[in-house]
Amino acid sequence: MVEPVSQNTSEDEPDRPEEERPTRASRRGRSGSKKFGKVNKKRSFWKELPILIVVALVLTILIQQFLAKVYMIPSGSMETTLHGCSGCTGDRILVDRITYDFTDPGPGDVVVFKGPPAWAGEIETPESSNIFVSGFRALGSLIGFAPPDERDFVKRIIAVGGQTVQCCDDNRVVVDGKALDEPYIHWEEGTGATQKTFDPIKVPAGYVYVMGDNRNNSSDSRFQGGGGVNGAVPVDNIIGKARVIVLPPGRWGGVSDHNPQANAQPLALGAPAWQQGLPLGVGVAAAWPVVFLGRRMSSGVRKAVDRRR
C-alpha cells in the first residue's frame, strides 16, 4: 500500500496545521540572522568616538559660519566691556551672524568686522612654518579657541551713514550737534582722560564709524585709513553683533549695546568750551559802561528839569 507523501519537506518539522508552519522567507530570515549575526553587532564606543568628534566639528563649523560664531578678544581696545591682552586668556564672545540680515547696524552695537584693506591690524599673529601647527591654529580660530585673523576687529558703532561725527566738546564725542552719552568709556591708567580731537567727518551711506571703549588705546576709525572715507567701515564688512561673553565662566554675561545717541545733549559745535562762554563774558563786561552811561544821562536829565523849575 502506497503511503501518502507528506507536505512537510523538513526533517525537523513535525506535521502541523498549514497556518502554523513557518514560511520559507521566515526560515531564511532566521538562518540569515544566525549567519550574519556578527555584522549586526554594535560598534564599540572607541570605534564610534572619532566619528562623533568629526560630526561635532562639522556641525560646529557650519553653525559658526551661518548662525553664530565664537571669537576670542586678543587686545584691550574694548576694556572694560570686553577683556583681552597679549599673552593672557581673553574673553570669548558669541557673535550673532544673522541679526543684520533683518536689521541695520545701529549706534552702540558692538560688532566684529573684517578690516578694510587700508586698515592696519591691531595684533601680530605669528605664523608657524610647521603645517600641522598652522592647521591646528586655523581650526582653533575657526571654532573660537585661538586668536582670530589679524584682519578681524571688534569695536562699537558711534555713528552711521549720513551722520557727522567729531571730537571733542567738553571731552565728549559729538554726532550731528549732540554730545554722546558714553558710560562705557574706559580710561587706561597712564594714558590720561582726554580724548584726541578730530575735525567733523560725515559718514558715507553704507558705512559706520567705530571706536573702542578703551578710548585712548584703540586703533579704530580715528586712526585707520579707509580709501577716502576717513576710516569708516563698510556695513558689508560686518560679520555680526557681539551678544554674550561665553568664556571664562567668571565673565559670563551679555555685551552692552547702550545707544550713546539716545540721551545725547545738544551743543554749540566748532568752538572749545571757553569760547562758547565768551559771548556771556563780553555781555557782562559791556553791561558796566552801559549802566554807567545810563546813570549819567539820567542824572543830567534830572538837573535840567530842576533848572527849568
Coordinates of all heavy atoms in Angstrom, one line a residue, residues 243-279:
R243 N 27.0 89.4 21.3 CA 25.9 89.2 22.2 C 26.2 88.8 23.6 O 25.7 89.5 24.6 CB 25.0 88.1 21.6 CG 24.3 88.5 20.3 CD 23.2 89.5 20.5 NE 22.4 89.7 19.3 CZ 21.4 90.5 19.2 NH1 21.1 91.3 20.2 NH2 20.7 90.6 18.1
V244 N 27.1 87.8 23.8 CA 27.3 87.2 25.1 C 28.8 86.9 25.3 O 29.4 86.4 24.3 CB 26.5 85.9 25.3 CG1 26.7 85.3 26.6 CG2 25.0 86.2 25.1
I245 N 29.3 87.1 26.5 CA 30.6 86.6 26.8 C 30.4 85.1 27.3 O 29.7 84.9 28.3 CB 31.3 87.4 27.9 CG1 31.5 88.9 27.5 CG2 32.6 86.8 28.4 CD1 31.9 89.8 28.5
V246 N 31.0 84.1 26.6 CA 30.7 82.7 27.0 C 31.9 82.1 27.8 O 31.7 81.2 28.5 CB 30.5 81.9 25.7 CG1 29.2 82.3 25.0 CG2 31.7 82.0 24.7
L247 N 33.1 82.7 27.7 CA 34.2 82.2 28.5 C 35.1 83.4 28.8 O 35.2 84.4 28.0 CB 35.0 81.2 27.7 CG 34.4 79.7 27.6 CD1 35.3 78.9 26.6 CD2 34.3 79.1 28.9
P248 N 35.8 83.3 30.0 CA 35.8 82.3 31.0 C 34.5 82.4 31.8 O 33.8 83.5 31.8 CB 37.0 82.7 31.8 CG 37.2 84.1 31.6 CD 36.8 84.4 30.2
P249 N 34.2 81.4 32.7 CA 32.9 81.4 33.4 C 32.7 82.6 34.3 O 31.6 83.1 34.4 CB 33.1 80.1 34.3 CG 34.0 79.2 33.5 CD 35.0 80.1 32.8
G250 N 33.8 83.1 34.9 CA 33.7 84.3 35.7 C 33.3 85.6 35.0 O 32.9 86.6 35.6
R251 N 33.3 85.6 33.7 CA 33.0 86.7 32.9 C 31.6 86.6 32.1 O 31.3 87.4 31.3 CB 34.1 87.0 31.8 CG 35.4 87.4 32.4 CD 35.5 88.9 32.7 NE 35.4 89.6 31.4 CZ 35.2 90.9 31.4 NH1 35.0 91.6 32.5 NH2 35.1 91.5 30.2
W252 N 30.9 85.5 32.4 CA 29.6 85.3 31.7 C 28.7 86.5 31.8 O 28.6 87.1 32.9 CB 28.9 84.1 32.3 CG 29.5 82.8 31.9 CD1 30.4 82.5 30.9 CD2 29.2 81.5 32.5 NE1 30.7 81.2 30.8 CE2 30.0 80.5 31.8 CE3 28.4 81.1 33.6 CZ2 30.0 79.2 32.1 CZ3 28.4 79.7 33.9 CH2 29.1 78.8 33.2
G253 N 28.1 86.8 30.7 CA 27.1 87.9 30.7 C 26.9 88.5 29.4 O 27.7 88.2 28.4
G254 N 25.9 89.3 29.2 CA 25.6 90.0 27.9 C 26.6 91.1 27.7 O 27.2 91.7 28.6
V255 N 26.7 91.5 26.4 CA 27.6 92.6 25.9 C 26.7 93.8 25.8 O 25.7 93.8 25.0 CB 28.3 92.2 24.6 CG1 29.1 93.4 24.1 CG2 29.2 91.0 24.8
S256 N 27.0 94.9 26.5 CA 26.2 96.1 26.4 C 26.1 96.7 25.1 O 27.1 96.8 24.4 CB 26.8 97.1 27.4 OG 26.2 98.4 27.2
D257 N 24.9 97.0 24.6 CA 24.7 97.8 23.4 C 24.1 99.1 23.6 O 23.2 99.6 22.9 CB 23.9 96.9 22.4 CG 22.5 96.6 22.9 OD1 22.2 96.9 24.1 OD2 21.7 96.0 22.1
H258 N 24.5 99.8 24.7 CA 24.0 101.1 25.1 C 24.1 102.1 23.9 O 25.2 102.3 23.4 CB 24.8 101.6 26.3 CG 24.4 103.0 26.7 ND1 23.3 103.3 27.5 CD2 25.0 104.2 26.4 CE1 23.3 104.6 27.7 NE2 24.3 105.2 27.0
N259 N 23.0 102.7 23.6 CA 23.0 103.6 22.5 C 23.4 105.0 22.9 O 22.7 105.7 23.7 CB 21.6 103.7 21.9 CG 21.5 104.6 20.7 OD1 22.4 105.3 20.3 ND2 20.3 104.7 20.0
P260 N 24.6 105.5 22.5 CA 25.1 106.7 23.0 C 24.4 108.0 22.5 O 24.5 109.1 23.0 CB 26.6 106.7 22.6 CG 26.5 105.9 21.3 CD 25.5 104.8 21.6
Q261 N 23.6 107.7 21.5 CA 22.8 108.9 20.9 C 21.4 109.0 21.5 O 20.8 110.1 21.3 CB 22.7 108.7 19.4 CG 24.0 108.7 18.6 CD 23.8 108.6 17.1 OE1 22.8 108.9 16.6 NE2 24.9 108.2 16.4
A262 N 21.0 108.0 22.3 CA 19.6 108.1 22.8 C 19.5 109.3 23.8 O 18.4 110.0 23.8 CB 19.3 106.8 23.6
N263 N 20.5 109.6 24.6 CA 20.4 110.7 25.6 C 21.4 111.8 25.3 O 21.9 112.4 26.2 CB 20.5 110.2 27.0 CG 19.4 109.2 27.4 OD1 18.2 109.5 27.2 ND2 19.8 108.1 28.0
A264 N 21.8 111.9 24.0 CA 22.8 112.9 23.6 C 22.3 114.3 23.9 O 21.1 114.6 23.8 CB 23.1 112.8 22.1
Q265 N 23.2 115.2 24.2 CA 22.8 116.6 24.6 C 23.2 117.6 23.5 O 24.4 117.6 23.1 CB 23.5 117.0 25.9 CG 23.2 116.1 27.1 CD 21.7 116.2 27.5 OE1 21.2 117.3 27.5 NE2 21.1 115.0 27.7
P266 N 22.3 118.4 23.1 CA 22.6 119.4 22.0 C 23.7 120.4 22.5 O 23.7 120.8 23.6 CB 21.3 120.1 21.8 CG 20.2 119.2 22.3 CD 20.9 118.5 23.4
L267 N 24.6 120.7 21.6 CA 25.7 121.6 22.0 C 26.0 122.5 20.8 O 25.6 122.3 19.6 CB 27.0 120.9 22.3 CG 27.0 120.0 23.6 CD1 28.3 119.2 23.6 CD2 26.8 120.9 24.8
A268 N 26.7 123.7 21.1 CA 27.2 124.5 20.0 C 28.5 123.9 19.5 O 29.4 123.7 20.3 CB 27.4 125.9 20.5
L269 N 28.6 123.7 18.2 CA 29.8 123.0 17.7 C 30.8 124.0 17.2 O 30.5 125.2 17.0 CB 29.4 122.1 16.5 CG 28.5 120.9 16.9 CD1 28.2 120.1 15.6 CD2 29.1 120.1 17.9
G270 N 32.0 123.5 17.0 CA 33.0 124.3 16.3 C 33.8 125.2 17.2 O 34.7 125.9 16.7
A271 N 33.6 125.2 18.5 CA 34.4 126.0 19.4 C 34.6 125.3 20.7 O 33.8 124.6 21.2 CB 33.7 127.3 19.6
P272 N 35.8 125.5 21.3 CA 36.0 124.9 22.7 C 35.0 125.5 23.7 O 34.4 126.6 23.4 CB 37.5 125.3 23.0 CG 38.1 125.7 21.7 CD 37.0 126.2 20.8
A273 N 35.0 124.9 24.8 CA 34.0 125.3 25.9 C 34.3 126.8 26.3 O 33.3 127.5 26.5 CB 34.1 124.4 27.1
W274 N 35.6 127.2 26.4 CA 35.8 128.5 26.9 C 35.4 129.6 25.9 O 34.9 130.6 26.2 CB 37.3 128.7 27.2 CG 38.2 128.7 26.0 CD1 38.8 127.6 25.5 CD2 38.7 129.8 25.2 NE1 39.6 127.9 24.4 CE2 39.5 129.3 24.2 CE3 38.4 131.2 25.2 CZ2 40.1 130.1 23.2 CZ3 38.9 132.0 24.3 CH2 39.8 131.4 23.3
Q275 N 35.4 129.2 24.6 CA 35.0 130.1 23.5 C 33.5 130.2 23.5 O 32.9 131.2 23.2 CB 35.5 129.6 22.2 CG 37.0 129.8 22.0 CD 37.5 129.4 20.6 OE1 36.7 129.2 19.7 NE2 38.8 129.4 20.4
Q276 N 32.8 129.0 23.9 CA 31.3 129.1 23.9 C 30.9 130.0 25.0 O 29.8 130.6 24.9 CB 30.8 127.7 24.1 CG 31.0 126.7 23.0 CD 30.5 125.3 23.2 OE1 29.6 125.2 24.1 NE2 31.1 124.4 22.6
G277 N 31.6 130.2 26.1 CA 31.3 131.1 27.2 C 31.7 132.6 26.9 O 31.4 133.5 27.7
L278 N 32.4 132.8 25.8 CA 32.9 134.1 25.5 C 31.8 135.2 25.3 O 31.9 136.3 25.9 CB 33.8 134.1 24.3 CG 34.5 135.4 23.9 CD1 35.5 135.7 25.1 CD2 35.3 135.2 22.6
P279 N 30.7 134.9 24.6 CA 29.6 135.9 24.5 C 29.1 136.3 25.8 O 28.8 137.5 26.0 CB 28.5 135.2 23.6 CG 29.3 134.1 22.9 CD 30.4 133.7 23.8

